[in-house]
Amino acid sequence: MADAGNTPAAGGDAAGAGGAPADVVSLTVNGRTIEAPKGTMLVDAAKAAGIEIPIFCYEPRLGAPIGACRMCLVEVEGMRGLQTACSTPVAPDMVVNTESEVAKDAQDGVLELLLANHPLDCPVCDKGGECPLQDRTFRFGPGETRTVEPKMHFPKPLDLSPLVALDRERCIACYRCVRFSQEVAEDGQLTFQERGDHTEIATFSGDPYEGRFTGNTIDLCPVGALTSNPYRFVSRPWDIKNTPSVCAGCSMGCNVEVTERDNEVKRLTARPEPNMAVEEGWICDRGRWGYPALRSADRIDAPLLVDAVGRRKVLLDRAVNEAGGLLGGRDLRVGILLGEPVTVETGFLATELAERAGNGAGMVRRMGIPGHGLGPLRDLPGAQMHHLDAADVIVVVGGDPCAQQPVAELRLRKAHRRGARVVLAGPRPTALDPACQVLRTTPGHLQDAAPAIAEVLEGSARAIVLWDEADLAAEPDAAATIAAVVAGTPGARAIELAADVSGPGLRALGIDAPGDLLAAIEAGEVDVLVTVQADPTTGPDGDRWSQAIAGVPRVIEMATYRSGLTDRADLVLPLLTALEDEGVLVSMTGRAQRLRPAARECPDAAAAWEIIIALTHRLGRPVPDRTPAQAFARLAAVHAPFAGLSYGALGTTGAVVAASSHGGPAPRREAPGDGLLVVPCTPVFGDATAHRSDALASVLEPTRVGLAPAEADRLGVRTEARVRIATPHGEAVLPLEVDSRLHEGAAYLFTGDPQAGAMRLLPLDRGPVRAVVGVVQREEVSA
Amino acid sequence: MTVAEIEQYLAPIRHEYPDPRSLIIPALKYAQGDAGWLPPEAMAAVAEATGFSQAYVESVATFYDRLYVDEVGRYCINVCVTLSCMLRGSDELFEHIADYLGLDGEGTTDDGMFTLARVQCIGACDRAPCLQVDSGVQLGPLEPADATCLIDDLRAEPAPARYDR
């Protein structure tokens, strides 16, 4: 599927407008006649024709041009003085000169002044070698300065936050970071203080620059003023290799670029050419600074084998051989459980393995939410993120995209700024609440918002509804009603806020949630359990899994990090992380995109697809693939959603795969028993990656229980630091947070850290569940 | 300075500022009247009363020299050092005042009474060399001895109820 929206210059609605001849303007630039759509800024028109006009402040994603840096001055015949090409729209028969004596003088002058206080410390600057200021100075600058006065000096660097460093003397006051903070993230934190040559970027009263998107200011900075603290002095551009890949931090599927040096991942940034249909070049701080997780202390660095000798490290070849031995018996019943992140190739090869291992009738399941009851929603016409740019009404039903798929928040803010009506329906407070219309529902009663949603959608022409997989799976009645409302609105489309990174891809392969696998394990019908990036013992209904797995004769764990299964497993095979792996992930909007391996930090780890291919060889029935590309070609031939696709067809920005619903009939959902209804929440900086990344230590959010003040009073836990929370599935002792924005009658369970085990308290099918929250006994506190 | 006080002050003049951003300056000036400068809490109160972010309010405050974001003395003595005053001896005048106050150049006296600063033209070239205390009338032409008297007089004054800078 072609992406009409993938042109950075096309601002939202213009993307779909198409170019009728009447809308095209013809003009002359440097003696050449060029054409450009009406309304295009001179700088973009020239760029499209291959003529570079130097810029610093111009960035269409930040809103209207402001002409702050003066770098793009050009001569336009008939206009007095020089014009800023970034803010001058093309006009018929305009004659522009970017290379005349006057224009060149202006470029020289602007660069000489921009550099008047610049320290020229390129040799020690992180930006040196990939710096627009450096490049443009070489290409357009005067080559020398007449400034003899001493330059300004500041103590350096100033930490804007633990993650972002500011070197004030390098700043050219282009306003990009300030505009990002004010107009894109809308956090209002960054401004310029003082005046004239004393102008400097600052936050109120020197407070740290806090947020979920702060790192984008580093990507935006055209000089070395804003740099990443974790990347400071780590590498020079000529020592690194940048690989385009996809962030596996959530189901959003942001396109990223991964920096490798000495076979280590050193940095993760947005791609220089953004994918306008997905992240629009903005990535969240969790994705940006999650990469140190791959050097986390709990990473499994070698295969572990338990045999008569005991538990020991073995070589990978030996481990694969042993695994082949464990899976070889002709009457063995095999279960394979896939977690996240797992590529579609690995999922496909796992199904092939299940046919070749044991009795050839193995079950392959994914950790995730069953699709029962979600069919009507999944059958709605789908949309991509850039369609939000043209939507007139946007409704978010359930979930909290600001926390779960953070970059979606920026797209929603953009739509809201443009004048779209943005409505948030659900039981959780979100970061968008102050800006948008909120339909707060009682936990467990999303259904109540349906009439209001129907009213909001009425008369809309291009509505988009973003619905939360987890919330609507727990409330099938609401799912059915809301699906009917959307289906009855002409032009309305839907985006699923998918709970898992791997869920959409594995569902497209027809791989189901693990309910029947667990039942089979409990019934003693599984002889060998293979897990791939899955630790069910810390997931929903974890205690039941732990008990069940204790009775499985053989467990083979394939994982990157140590988990609750590692000590139980008979064989542990270390896997690569998503940053090191190759394959395809499908985003929540159904966009299949390629992961490309950026480095391989752990020499004894392997990709899951590599191990599975080796296992099929060991089992004597090898699959024909040697690479994920070959596996993908084969799966595309047999799985309809991927029909006609290949790595070549995915290109750099991916392709949309046809949605497949195959959800069964909706079960009746009720939360039995007494207590508070549990509202599962995902904090932005609270997931497993955030807990493993030392870069994110300063923003880490704990796994915790949130209660409304009145509820905390009623339970007598208002002053407790920690509370005990128990559901029929398990219990945990967690920190308490009292927040007046939360509903009474509900326990908001902020999950994330697998170590804290909060997910264990949820039912396996992610239906509604009640919890008893109470005081922690004294002996527990001391323990 | 509370948000309510600032809002009360702004209520009758709001209509004079069709662009609400313009309201920030009178609000800051009013808030500054309390302590003579703008501690972060005062800027935060202005932000709330005007509906702008704290960072934006601070960026406005730091843009203008007469909005003080660092603590200053009871009296701000601003000595003009632009051309006319300089030709007529503003350097000597400034040095004399600094000596008399026991300051090494610009700064605030230890007793918190005076903040001395060099400023650009205050629009009284016919009276060069001149200075201005807070937002008072420009005083000049001044001999060093006149400045001594002025300082002694100010020292004898009771603390003002509100500051007007």
Side-chain angles (χ1 to χ4, degrees):
Chain A
M1 181 178 152
D3 290 314
N6 205 29
T7 45
D13 298 23
D23 293 337
V24 171
V25 172
S26 176
L27 66 156
T28 309
V29 180
N30 296 349
R32 274 176 56 196
T33 304
I34 66 169
E35 290 190 332
K38 204 174 160 186
T40 309
M41 294 301 166
L42 211 39
V43 66
D44 287 325
K47 189 178 172 190
I51 300 165
E52 184 186 352
I53 299 173
I55 49 162
F56 289 116
C57 70
Y58 181 58
E59 172 51 73
R61 292 177 298 149
L62 298 174
I66 59 167
C69 73
R70 319 309 288 173
M71 190 64 246
C72 62
L73 290 173
V74 295
E75 203 181 357
V76 180
E77 277 182 22
M79 291 176 90
R80 235 186 84 203
L82 296 166
Q83 306 301 314
T84 47
C86 73
S87 57
T88 307
V90 292
D93 305 323
M94 193 180 230
V95 180
V96 181
N97 208 326
T98 75
E99 291 173 336
S100 65
E101 199 66 25
V102 186
K104 284 203 135 330
D105 259 6
Q107 289 168 354
D108 278 358
V110 168
L111 273 166
E112 190 177 2
L113 284 172
L114 288 179
L115 293 174
N117 268 314
H118 191 87
L120 301 176
D121 57 346
C122 309
V124 296
C125 175
D126 281 329
K127 198 86 174 184
E130 50 183 24
C131 175
L133 180 60
Q134 205 177 30
D135 294 347
R136 277 152 213 169
T137 300
F138 274 100
R139 174 136 185 234
F140 299 98
E144 54 192 30
T145 180
R146 290 166 292 176
T147 308
V148 292
E149 289 77 15
K151 297 191 177 208
M152 294 174 81
H153 290 284
F154 296 96
K156 60 189 299 178
L158 185 77
D159 280 346
L160 271 188
S161 77
L163 293 163
V164 184
L166 167 64
D167 288 282
R168 284 168 284 182
E169 58 269 65
R170 293 182 191 151
C171 176
I172 59 165
C174 73
Y175 275 88
R176 278 186 170 199
C177 55
V178 171
R179 289 161 75 202
F180 177 81
S181 167
Q182 303 286 343
E183 292 167 39
V184 178
E186 298 180 5
D187 58 45
Q189 291 181 64
L190 289 188
T191 54
F192 273 122
Q193 291 190 359
E194 304 293 339
R195 191 179 59 215
D197 62 342
H198 289 83
T199 305
E200 61 181 74
I201 304 161
T203 54
F204 177 67
S205 190
D207 293 345
Y209 177 35
E210 286 171 344
R212 299 174 293 287
F213 309 104
T214 63
N216 292 301
T217 59
I218 300 168
D219 288 349
L220 283 168
C221 184
V223 302
L226 294 175
T227 49
S228 161
N229 261 329
Y231 185 65
R232 203 168 165 83
F233 304 135
V234 166
S235 194
R236 311 315 314 263
W238 48 89
D239 289 327
I240 62 175
K241 188 182 97 226
N242 290 327
T243 306
S245 194
V246 176
C247 177
C250 73
S251 55
M252 182 80 188
C254 296
N255 290 207
V256 297
E257 193 167 78
V258 188
T259 298
E260 170 265 357
R261 180 188 177 180
D262 299 340
N263 216 15
E264 281 188 16
V265 173
K266 298 293 190 192
R267 177 176 69 169
L268 191 143
T269 61
R271 283 194 203 165
E273 289 294 328
N275 189 340
M276 300 306 278
V278 186
E279 84 294 334
E280 207 183 4
W282 311 129
I283 61 174
C284 70
D285 289 357
R286 180 177 70 193
R288 181 180 303 270
W289 284 299
Y291 65 87
L294 54 79
R295 296 187 278 277
S296 146
D298 65 347
R299 179 146 189 198
I300 303 168
D301 60 356
L304 294 169
L305 171 68
V306 182
D307 62 7
V309 183
R311 185 185 174 82
R312 61 209 160 91
K313 292 186 176 181
V314 293
L315 292 175
L316 191 58
D317 280 354
R318 167 82 193 278
V320 171
N321 258 328
E322 295 286 341
L326 292 176
L327 291 166
R330 278 302 154 102
D331 48 1
L332 289 176
R333 294 159 297 178
V334 176
I336 302 179
L337 183 59
L338 308 173
E340 60 177 4
V342 167
T343 62
V344 292
E345 291 85 345
T346 295
F348 172 68
L349 289 166
T351 59
E352 303 257 288
L353 176 65
E355 291 166 9
R356 288 160 169 80
N359 62 7
M363 300 169 85
V364 181
R365 299 292 180 266
R366 61 180 170 87
M367 294 277 292
I369 298 169
H372 311 306
L374 296 178
L377 284 166
R378 289 192 170 135
D379 289 339
L380 293 169
Q384 296 295 303
M385 291 310 287
H386 68 274
H387 293 136
L388 291 175
D389 295 348
D392 51 0
V393 175
I394 298 167
V395 184
V396 180
V397 186
D400 176 6
C402 308
Q404 296 162 213
Q405 294 89 7
V407 171
E409 176 190 334
L410 299 181
R411 222 36 185 266
L412 291 168
R413 286 191 186 277
K414 184 182 176 189
H416 179 258
R417 279 196 303 279
R418 179 175 51 81
R421 185 169 178 194
V422 181
V423 180
L424 309 161
R428 297 174 190 78
T430 80
L432 279 165
D433 286 2
C436 302
Q437 185 186 341
V438 178
L439 298 171
R440 182 71 79 245
T441 58
T442 312
H445 291 81
L446 267 178
Q447 177 88 17
D448 296 351
I453 293 172
E455 204 171 300
V456 168
L457 290 180
E458 195 170 337
S460 71
R462 298 178 308 281
I464 295 182
V465 173
L466 298 99
W467 57 275
D468 185 64
E469 182 187 8
D471 276 7
L472 286 150
E475 297 185 43
D477 292 346
T481 315
I482 289 162
V485 167
V486 180
T489 308
R493 289 187 280 186
I495 292 176
E496 172 178 356
L497 298 170
D500 313 305
V501 181
S502 308
L506 297 180
R507 273 196 289 109
L509 296 174
I511 297 174
D512 274 332
D516 54 348
L517 176 61
L518 176 56
I521 293 173
E522 287 177 327
E525 291 162 6
V526 172
D527 302 310
V528 187
L529 175 67
V530 182
T531 63
V532 183
Q533 302 287 37
D535 177 12
T537 66
T538 53
D541 223 352
D543 294 354
R544 196 175 142 208
W545 277 102
S546 294
Q547 271 180 5
I549 290 172
V552 178
R554 296 289 184 204
V555 176
I556 301 172
E557 180 182 36
M558 294 164 60
T560 302
Y561 302 104
R562 300 183 63 82
S563 76
L565 273 185
T566 310
D567 289 334
R568 161 67 187 88
D570 301 279
L571 182 63
V572 180
L573 293 154
L575 293 188
L576 302 178
T577 63
L579 295 174
E580 301 160 305
D581 204 349
E582 187 172 4
V584 169
L585 288 176
V586 179
S587 80
M588 63 184 191
T589 60
R591 180 169 290 265
Q593 304 182 106
R594 282 182 64 192
L595 288 174
R596 291 178 180 78
R600 200 177 253 216
E601 293 206 7
C602 183
D604 292 319
W609 57 266
E610 286 177 306
I611 293 177
I612 295 174
I613 290 172
L615 275 173
T616 61
H617 283 265
R618 171 69 177 73
L619 290 166
R621 289 179 60 198
V623 293
D625 322 311
R626 282 189 304 277
T627 64
Q630 292 167 335
F632 188 77
R634 227 154 43 82
L635 80 87
V638 292
H639 288 284
F642 298 95
L645 288 180
S646 65
Y647 273 18
L650 295 183
T652 51
T653 54
V656 178
V657 300
S660 60
S661 61
H662 77 81
R668 288 234 46 95
R669 298 275 209 198
E670 262 162 42
D674 297 330
L676 306 173
L677 198 65
V678 175
V679 181
C681 305
T682 319
V684 182
F685 298 112
D687 71 350
T689 303
H691 278 270
R692 288 195 176 101
S693 166
D694 49 18
L696 292 172
S698 62
V699 291
L700 201 59
E701 293 173 70
T703 295
R704 61 193 186 274
V705 176
L707 292 177
E711 199 61 59
D713 286 341
R714 198 170 307 136
L715 295 168
V717 295
R718 185 79 186 252
T719 56
E720 305 290 320
R722 295 168 78 79
V723 290
R724 154 181 300 278
I725 175 166
T727 71
H729 307 281
E731 56 182 49
V733 174
L734 295 172
L736 171 70
E737 179 186 66
V738 178
D739 184 341
S740 60
R741 297 174 305 161
L742 305 180
H743 254 285
E744 288 175 41
Y748 289 73
L749 185 61
F750 293 84
T751 61
D753 180 12
Q755 306 265 316
M759 286 294 277
R760 286 163 40 247
L761 311 190
L762 303 177
L764 185 60
D765 65 2
R766 301 297 293 274
V769 65
R770 292 185 182 277
V772 176
V773 179
V775 184
V776 181
Q777 301 306 317
R778 191 173 300 138
E779 57 270 29
E780 289 170 332
V781 176
S782 58
Chain B
M1 180 65 51
T2 64
V3 178
E5 284 174 295
I6 299 170
E7 278 172 348
Q8 196 185 344
Y9 169 77
L10 294 178
I13 59 168
R14 265 183 203 272
H15 69 277
E16 294 169 27
Y17 299 87
D19 183 341
R21 285 182 299 180
S22 317
L23 205 57
I24 295 174
I25 291 175
L28 283 169
K29 262 203 94 183
Y30 177 71
Q32 180 166 270
D34 227 24
W37 66 292
L38 290 162
E41 308 81 66
M43 287 188 280
V46 168
E48 198 173 332
T50 55
F52 290 91
S53 74
Q54 298 177 346
Y56 189 77
V57 167
E58 191 178 19
S59 81
V60 172
T62 56
F63 189 91
Y64 296 99
D65 285 346
R66 296 290 180 96
L67 293 169
Y68 297 92
V69 295
D70 294 314
E71 190 166 1
V72 287
R74 184 185 289 177
Y75 299 102
C76 287
I77 302 175
N78 296 315
V79 181
C80 176
V81 293
T82 312
L83 191 64
S84 306
C85 288
M86 195 179 210
L87 292 170
R88 302 265 296 158
S90 64
D91 282 353
E92 291 85 346
L93 177 64
F94 182 89
E95 288 309 325
H96 176 81
I97 298 173
D99 282 352
Y100 190 66
L101 293 175
L103 289 171
D104 184 16
E106 293 181 311
T108 301
T109 55
D110 290 340
D111 60 1
M113 283 294 287
F114 298 100
T115 293
L116 177 63
R118 294 185 182 91
V119 296
Q120 300 307 320
C121 187
I122 52 177
C125 305
D126 58 323
R127 279 171 273 159
C130 63
L131 61 73
Q132 189 179 22
V133 178
D134 294 334
S135 62
V137 68
Q138 303 94 324
L139 305 171
L142 292 180
E143 294 293 323
D146 299 333
T148 312
C149 285
L150 172 68
I151 288 163
D152 291 343
D153 287 352
L154 288 173
R155 229 186 259 284
E157 294 271 331
R162 285 186 60 78
Y163 296 87
D164 183 11
R165 310 216 136 128

